[in-house]
Amino acid sequence: MNDYQAPADLLKGKVILITGAGDGIGAQAARTYAKHGATCILLGRTVSKLEAVYDEIVNAGSVGNAEPAPEPAIVPLDLKGATPSHYQQMTQTIIDQFGKLDGVLHNASVLGHL
């Protein structure tokens, strides 16, 4: 089990929403999912951070060195202040642009004082 290597196209054709995708675990997950063929919907509060992850995914090139990685999408949204209307709009955008959602990594968090 320790030497498992995921196939390069493991997530090909999958659409995955990643909250907290601007940095840390969310950004790394998005890069990894894209590397394995997923279309990543990058959700977070800070547009500039989401754009940086977007650029990294696009610039990384290809899935398994064979074909271009799917273009990610950016959804700037602060979950803490989001209203039902924001969620309805996001849902409609996902339906209109992707037609489906195969998975969600809910990674967004705010770390208070330690």
Side-chain angles (χ1 to χ4, degrees), residues 36 40 49 65 68 83 87 89-90 95 99 112:
H36 288 282
C40 295
K49 289 181 179 183
N65 299 320
T83 66
Y87 292 112
Q89 290 170 9
M90 181 178 66
I95 290 168

Side-chain angles (χ1 to χ4, degrees), residues 31-106:
R31 289 188 292 266
T32 301
Y33 295 165
K35 178 181 162 188
H36 288 282
T39 299
C40 295
I41 302 173
L42 310 173
L43 188 145
R45 293 181 296 178
T46 309
V47 173
S48 60
K49 289 181 179 183
L50 297 173
E51 289 174 338
V53 175
Y54 175 99
D55 289 343
E56 289 175 31
I57 290 171
V58 169
N59 292 332
S62 63
V63 177
N65 299 320
E67 59 188 78
E71 184 175 354
I74 292 176
V75 176
L77 181 65
D78 183 352
L79 296 176
K80 185 176 181 181
T83 66
S85 177
H86 290 119
Y87 292 112
Q88 290 167 347
Q89 290 170 9
M90 181 178 66
T91 300
Q92 193 59 52
T93 298
I94 291 169
I95 290 168
D96 292 345
Q97 291 187 11
F98 304 102
K100 65 177 183 170
L101 185 62
D102 296 296
V104 175
L105 171 62
H106 185 42

